[in-house]
Amino acid sequence: MDSRAVFVLLWMLLSSTSTGIKLDGNGYVDIIIAIGSRVPQDDMLIDKIKEMVTEGSYYLYDALDEKVYFKDATILVPSHWSVKDFSKARTESFEKAHIKIDYANSVNNIEPYTKQYGECGDEGEFIHFTPEYLLNDTLIELYGSRGRVLVHEWAHLRWGVYDENNDKKPFYYSNGRIEPTRCSKNIEGQFYEVTAGGSLQQCRTDPETLLLTKECTFFPDRNQITNSSIMFLPSLDPVTAFCHENEHNYEAPNMQNIKCGKATWTVIFEDSVDKDALRSLKPPESPPPPPSFKIVQRKQRVVCLILDVSGSMRGSRILLQQQAATHFLRNIIEEQASVGIVQFSTSASTLSPLTTIDSDNTRENLIKMLPKVADGWTNMCLGLSQGLQVLTVDNGDALGDEIIFLTDGEATDNIELCAPSAIKSGAIISTVAFGKKAATALIEMAEQTGGKFIYANDELTSNQLMDAFASFTFSTGDYTKEPVQLESVGERTSDWFNGTVSVDQTVGNKTSFVIIYELSFPSVYIQSPSGLIYTQTNTSHDKLLKTVTLNVPGTAEPGDWQYSIQTTILQALTLTVTSQAAQADVPPITVKTRMNQKSSDGTKPMIVFAEVSQNYRPVINAEVWATLESETGIEHTFQLLDNGAGADASQGDGIYSRYFTKMVNGRSSLKVRVKNQEGQTRLAAPKKSGAPYVPGYVVNGVVQLNPPKPPVSEEPLEVGSFTRTATGESFEVTLSGTAPPNFPPNRITDLSAEIHEDTVLLSWTAPGEDLDQGTAKSYEIRWSFDLDMLRDSFSNGHVVNTAAVSPQEAGSVEQHSFNLSFPIQNGTTLSFAIQSEDEVNATSETSNIAQASKILRAPKPPGISNPGMNLTVLVISVCVVTMVICFIVAVTTWAVKRKKLSSESKVELTI
């Protein structure tokens, strides 16, 4: 058995240290629930969390045919909470928590939700609950019991399903019937409008669409004849199941149909991460016990830098390492953190024991201890062992402490044999593979301990090593105390190196410009937005490190900062700009980026994600570019989009995405640059998947209203000029050949349809030649009266002539209008779908099914009080009522006239 196989075996044995959720038999374990650092201590909050998870466990057990439940969970509390029976945190962190308890993105916003990046069936990012939601029992009536809501969110998080309601399209037409968007269709209820005074009135219709107005609300019956579905309304007592195929409402214009096109139950058992386990699991012999809980806490950050000084690090590499580590110690690591430094080659030694950072002098003293000379062999195990010893000095163990481990070469020792013990230590190990030959075990150590793996080349202009060390932050949920990287750029020139860095209102404190030169000290000119110019006389110059640093005094002025760096000889120059929050109560705009896979064999498409936000609130309409650079130097730069098409799950949610199709063998780095897009960037209301607010229920035929939820501002806010850069974890590709794989065009998920008179108008976002890259060759559009037939057998639908449709570049808005060969009758609903084809005749998956109904202009029907009421019946009812009224009026008029004539006759006789 080779060393690689030995390591894989040991890695499997140590899988319990992984930071991911797992199934242990029928029970989910390693669930991390983290409370944000801004949340004040409240013991009741812990109790409420336990109650929610316990109730949710039993509800989940029943909902999934007694297959799974919650077995254990770990609750991570903030460092400022007073110690009771809390254990020391291991690899648990707020950033990687599966459930986050934190304040919302805006005042009054207490709704639970799940952040989802990926495609149908992909795991979500995290579930978000606010402290108020957990502590305020009056909210149970508005959203349902917390355990039920947790299971609704768990389905988003774990199985990648979507909501079956739709706040934007709460109603739709189905062959002349007005239906509420719901699943299953057996959910009954009534339609009413709630007036400003809190009374009910019949719903009105929009005279243009004849759909119910946005003020109309569907009130479900408290008692139902169906038990589904949890993804529509978990608050209903009878709802205890997810929608199966036989009950799923494929007509409803909800995200589950748009993104998945299949029933929730089907996605869980056929597409989710648990699909294989769920199909094979048998119900346990006895009902599950209550979940067990562990309360853990992390105090101040403890980090040990373990740095390679072997012979292969001589020359530029040892200098690059010194520059990057200096940047980390000076600008990245926070106050009151403890840092130790270890170097290794043939032997290992401690350059600095754990030292608490309490002043700039402490930082500079640590910088002086960084290694400057390289020689000897590469013995990684000695370095790991020495680093772990440094971490145990303060309290006897390395639990929850961090290691930043950098090496540039293959180990001369057998690192596969010592890596498992390092993983088992409980330390969080982040690794930097500096160059092409660094050992593969670095990836597994980072993956198994909740650390980061980053590949960095030694090309100075890429600035990758500086970016790597700048990314080693440790979030507690309070982003006001964390550094933000505004810029990272490099260029090889013999003239001017110019550019602009935008400092927005959310940052400005501790702003630093770090310039690194390769050969000769350049001339530096940095101009503030008001015109103040900083030159060499305002900077500090370190000749040994070849760095020039400008620390902007006070809070940097918001606006565009211009930099001009002049060199008279050909050399590489880089600029790195970092800053921190300008105000203690205003979190800065942040960027997080990652790939959907950390390793790929090319069989499944890779996706780049970049989330741009401010305290959970999405930043939309930004310009976002990703650069992926392989270890062979091949670089691909492309724009990420937030258009709800292709790889992007939802439009306008601040998550910018794109497929990466130009895969090459080996390791690749990921870097994202973000800026304001021509003044169009905005802070928007959050878009999210979550359990819906219930305005009320129908009990014994009478609507009982719930209290209204607090108003939340949805007005977008302007964002001034800003720049950000972010580095994601690196990834590795192992293809069977040298050529990148060919993929068909991506599935279209935003097809919409309208019928005006006898003309059909279709709209969608163009796919690409390869997924969402390039331009597809052709479209095939089909329609049917039967949605299920079109979904199950696209080729049996009626063909639409698309000879005049020439596909545009991926991401473009496409429209096609046409007339059918027969007149469309009033009330008719048609279904449409699209497939696209590339140059090698590879065909995309069938798009979402778009429905459209022909509705003639007509007087407004009266309010509707039952779901699915037939429009024809409404019109007939109106006509009958009108005829009856006319008849009554006619009879009354005739009687009055006759009485009057009779009176007149009597008068004449008397005279």
Side-chain angles (χ1 to χ4, degrees):
M1 183 179 293
D2 63 21
S3 60
R4 170 68 178 172
V6 170
F7 180 78
V8 171
L9 176 61
L10 290 170
W11 169 75
M12 292 172 64
L13 292 174
L14 287 166
S15 61
S16 63
T17 61
S18 171
T19 56
I21 298 168
K22 291 182 293 297
L23 267 172
D24 179 12
N26 295 79
Y28 284 106
V29 297
D30 294 346
I31 303 168
I32 309 301
I33 304 170
I35 301 174
S37 63
R38 298 174 298 166
V39 178
Q41 182 160 355
D42 189 333
D43 294 340
M44 183 64 70
L45 188 58
I46 299 291
D47 294 336
K48 294 293 185 181
I49 292 172
K50 291 180 178 180
E51 290 173 9
M52 175 180 67
V53 177
T54 302
E55 180 194 11
S57 180
Y58 295 125
Y59 188 57
L60 176 64
Y61 182 69
D62 291 336
L64 229 61
D65 289 353
E66 300 183 346
K67 284 183 176 289
V68 293
Y69 56 92
F70 299 136
K71 188 173 184 178
D72 70 47
T74 300
I75 303 173
L76 175 66
V77 301
S79 61
H80 64 81
W81 285 27
S82 60
V83 176
K84 293 189 176 180
D85 54 349
F86 303 153
S87 303
K88 188 178 180 184
R90 291 170 62 93
T91 59
E92 300 90 357
S93 68
F94 181 85
E95 195 64 25
K96 292 183 179 289
H98 310 114
I99 301 173
K100 297 183 179 182
I101 315 298
D102 201 6
Y103 291 117
N105 40 52
S106 55
V107 178
N108 294 333
N109 193 351
I110 47 83
E111 291 189 344
Y113 68 91
T114 301
K115 177 74 73 175
Q116 289 180 273
Y117 278 16
E119 301 173 303
C120 179
D122 289 347
E123 290 184 86
E125 299 302 300
F126 60 85
I127 299 170
H128 185 278
F129 294 112
T130 64
E132 181 184 359
Y133 170 78
L134 290 171
L135 294 170
N136 186 350
D137 288 346
T138 63
L139 297 174
I140 293 175
E141 188 68 17
L142 275 60
Y143 295 95
S145 70
R146 297 188 187 99
R148 286 170 168 258
V149 170
L150 173 62
V151 172
H152 176 99
E153 303 306 332
W154 181 265
H156 287 306
L157 176 78
R158 185 64 179 174
W159 303 316
V161 299
Y162 287 84
D163 287 328
E164 294 166 346
N165 61 303
N166 189 337
D167 290 341
K168 302 298 182 184
K169 293 183 179 180
F171 306 103
Y172 67 99
Y173 270 117
S174 175
N175 289 321
R177 297 167 62 89
I178 297 177
E179 297 278 4
T181 301
R182 69 202 191 283
C183 190
S184 76
K185 220 172 181 180
N186 294 325
I187 294 285
E188 298 288 343
Q190 297 182 14
F191 298 136
Y192 285 104
E193 288 185 19
V194 181
T195 67
S199 61
L200 300 175
Q201 65 181 27
Q202 294 294 317
C203 286
R204 297 164 295 164
T205 56
D206 186 311
E208 289 296 316
T209 66
L210 288 187
L211 276 173
L212 301 177
T213 61
K214 63 181 181 180
E215 291 80 15
C216 189
T217 300
F218 174 64
F219 294 93
D221 292 342
R222 193 55 124 161
N223 297 312
Q224 299 285 341
I225 60 172
T226 180
N227 67 346
S228 67
S229 169
I230 291 171
M231 299 316 293
F232 171 60
L233 214 57
S235 59
L236 281 175
D237 291 338
V239 170
T240 58
F242 296 100
C243 244
H244 290 60
E245 288 292 337
N246 62 344
E247 266 199 315
H248 182 67
N249 179 11
Y250 281 98
E251 293 181 336
N254 54 37
M255 286 298 289
Q256 177 64 19
N257 281 330
I258 292 171
K259 299 299 295 184
C260 301
K262 57 183 74 172
T264 297
W265 186 272
T266 305
V267 174
I268 295 171
F269 279 81
E270 295 184 2
D271 301 323
S272 77
V273 67
D274 292 329
K275 60 182 183 293
D276 295 330
L278 291 174
R279 286 197 292 261
S280 61
L281 279 175
K282 304 296 183 185
E285 295 181 358
S286 58
S292 62
F293 296 93
K294 181 171 63 174
I295 314 298
V296 300
Q297 186 178 44
R298 183 182 305 283
K299 289 297 187 180
Q300 296 299 328
R301 191 178 181 190
V302 178
V303 183
C304 184
L305 302 180
I306 305 178
L307 306 175
D308 189 347
V309 293
S310 60
S312 57
M313 288 287 293
R314 290 192 191 101
S316 62
R317 285 188 173 180
I318 193 73
L319 177 60
L320 287 170
Q321 178 178 262
Q322 192 180 359
Q323 291 165 343
T326 295
H327 180 55
F328 175 79
L329 293 171
R330 189 175 282 157
N331 301 308
I332 304 301
I333 190 72
E334 60 269 38
E335 290 288 316
Q336 299 306 311
S338 295
V339 179
I341 304 173
V342 166
Q343 67 176 10
F344 71 92
S345 57
T346 307
S347 60
S349 60
T350 300
L351 301 180
S352 173
L354 289 178
T355 303
T356 300
I357 295 180
D358 53 11
S359 66
D360 288 342
N361 286 336
T362 304
R363 293 177 185 270
E364 295 305 317
N365 288 334
L366 283 168
I367 289 169
K368 291 175 183 176
M369 296 179 188
L370 289 170
K372 304 172 182 62
V373 178
D375 193 21
W377 303 100
T378 308
N379 196 320
M380 296 188 192
C381 285
L382 286 179
L384 277 172
S385 177
Q386 188 73 19
L388 289 170
Q389 288 182 36
V390 169
L391 292 177
T392 58
V393 168
D394 59 343
N395 54 18
D397 60 49
L399 291 178
D401 297 340
E402 293 176 74
I403 288 174
I404 297 176
F405 187 92
L406 182 148
T407 183
D408 76 334
E410 296 177 347
T412 55
D413 58 345
N414 216 345
I415 188 174
E416 287 84 0
L417 295 179
C418 66
S421 62
I423 293 171
K424 195 174 181 179
S425 72
I428 300 170
I429 306 174
S430 292
T431 56
V432 181
F434 194 18
K436 304 176 185 178
K437 297 182 179 181
T440 304
L442 299 179
I443 301 174
E444 279 86 357
M445 281 197 299
E447 173 70 15
Q448 290 302 302
T449 63
K452 297 179 180 179
F453 167 73
I454 297 181
Y455 161 76
N457 64 34
D458 48 9
E459 172 57 43
L460 181 58
T461 56
S462 72
N463 216 28
Q464 286 183 1
L465 200 58
M466 287 283 285
D467 293 339
F469 274 79
S471 72
F472 292 135
T473 57
F474 200 90
S475 180
T476 62
D478 186 358
Y479 296 104
T480 62
K481 297 178 180 178
E482 298 173 20
V484 177
Q485 187 163 281
L486 308 186
E487 184 62 282
S488 171
V489 66
E491 186 176 318
R492 188 171 295 277
T493 181
S494 59
D495 196 2
W496 287 96
F497 175 35
N498 301 319
T500 301
V501 179
S502 297
V503 176
D504 57 283
Q505 299 279 355
T506 67
V507 294
N509 282 342
K510 300 182 180 179
T511 303
S512 68
F513 290 72
V514 179
I515 300 158
I516 297 177
Y517 59 90
E518 183 181 19
L519 301 171
S520 176
F521 180 43
S523 299
V524 176
Y525 304 91
I526 299 175
Q527 181 173 313
S528 73
S530 62
L532 181 62
I533 295 177
Y534 298 89
T535 64
Q536 291 94 312
T537 58
N538 308 107
T539 64
S540 59
H541 177 210
D542 189 322
K543 293 180 181 180
L544 295 178
L545 280 181
K546 296 183 178 179
T547 60
V548 182
T549 303
L550 169 64
N551 293 314
V552 179
T555 302
E557 182 184 347
D560 291 340
W561 288 67
Q562 309 290 335
Y563 62 88
S564 298
I565 304 167
Q566 185 183 30
T567 176
T568 56
I569 63 170
L570 181 63
Q571 65 173 329
L573 300 169
T574 67
L575 173 71
T576 304
V577 184
T578 58
S579 188
Q580 291 194 24
Q583 302 177 52
D585 58 346
V586 179
I589 295 172
T590 59
V591 179
K592 302 172 187 175
T593 184
R594 68 168 179 85
M595 306 295 295
N596 70 326
Q597 304 171 65
K598 292 182 181 178
S599 61
S600 173
D601 61 2
T603 58
K604 183 180 178 182
M606 299 196 78
I607 303 175
V608 188
F609 297 113
E611 181 181 359
V612 189
S613 62
Q614 183 193 24
N615 191 34
Y616 304 109
R617 190 166 186 176
V619 176
I620 62 171
N621 301 333
E623 186 176 331
V624 182
W625 291 84
T627 298
L628 293 90
E629 186 175 351
S630 73
E631 60 188 14
T632 58
I634 299 174
E635 186 177 293
H636 295 285
T637 298
F638 50 93
Q639 188 170 8
L640 306 184
L641 302 176
D642 184 18
N643 60 354
D648 193 57
S650 180
Q651 183 179 14
D653 62 355
I655 301 168
Y656 299 76
S657 317
R658 206 75 181 265
Y659 287 108
F660 175 55
T661 59
K662 306 297 183 182
M663 302 182 196
V664 295
N665 277 310
R667 297 164 180 163
S668 292
S669 63
L670 167 62
K671 184 174 181 176
V672 162
R673 297 171 58 83
V674 182
K675 66 178 182 178
N676 194 312
Q677 183 172 250
E678 299 177 352
Q680 299 301 309
T681 304
R682 298 287 186 272
L683 272 173
K687 282 191 173 185
K688 57 213 177 190
S689 300
Y693 157 77
V694 184
Y697 301 94
V698 179
V699 181
N700 297 325
V702 178
V703 174
Q704 294 183 354
L705 292 176
N706 281 332
K709 64 179 180 180
V712 178
S713 174
E714 296 190 356
E715 289 297 320
L717 302 175
E718 288 191 18
V719 175
S721 295
F722 76 101
T723 53
R724 295 288 189 275
T725 64
T727 298
E729 291 191 58
S730 300
F731 59 96
E732 188 166 24
V733 175
T734 307
L735 304 175
S736 56
T738 56
N742 290 317
F743 295 103
N746 65 266
R747 176 176 179 258
I748 294 168
T749 58
D750 62 349
L751 177 65
S752 64
E754 298 177 18
I755 297 178
H756 300 286
E757 301 298 336
D758 289 327
T759 299
V760 177
L761 174 64
L762 301 180
S763 301
W764 67 94
T765 301
E769 164 75 9
D770 289 321
L771 298 172
D772 58 7
Q773 305 283 321
T775 304
K777 182 183 73 174
S778 61
Y779 294 121
E780 182 177 351
I781 304 176
R782 292 182 180 265
W783 68 271
S784 175
F785 292 107
D786 185 351
L787 180 148
D788 291 332
M789 188 277 290
L790 193 62
R791 178 177 60 84
D792 296 332
S793 182
F794 175 81
S795 60
N796 288 334
H798 301 285
V799 177
V800 174
N801 186 349
T802 58
V805 182
S806 180
Q808 302 181 70
E809 184 180 359
S812 304
V813 176
E814 299 271 34
Q815 289 189 328
H816 180 52
S817 61
F818 58 93
N819 292 327
L820 297 176
S821 59
F822 61 91
I824 306 172
Q825 299 300 314
N826 182 41
T828 300
T829 297
L830 302 179
S831 298
F832 303 88
I834 300 181
Q835 288 183 351
S836 49
E837 194 173 85
D838 65 13
E839 293 295 338
V840 295
N841 300 322
T843 304
S844 71
E845 296 181 47
T846 303
S847 70
N848 65 295
I849 309 296
Q851 291 187 288
S853 299
K854 181 177 179 179
I855 306 296
L856 296 177
R857 299 292 181 264
K860 292 187 297 181
I864 301 172
S865 59
N866 291 294
M869 183 172 283
N870 193 296
L871 183 64
T872 305
V873 173
L874 283 175
V875 174
I876 293 173
S877 300
V878 171
C879 292
V880 169
V881 171
T882 303
M883 291 173 63
V884 170
I885 292 173
C886 290
F887 177 78
I888 293 172
V889 171
V891 171
T892 303
T893 303
W894 175 80
V896 170
K897 286 184 177 180
R898 179 164 182 165
K899 184 176 182 180
K900 184 177 180 181
L901 287 172
S902 176
S903 299
E904 290 176 352
S905 298
K906 289 180 180 180
V907 171
E908 289 176 358
L909 289 172
T910 302
I911 294 174

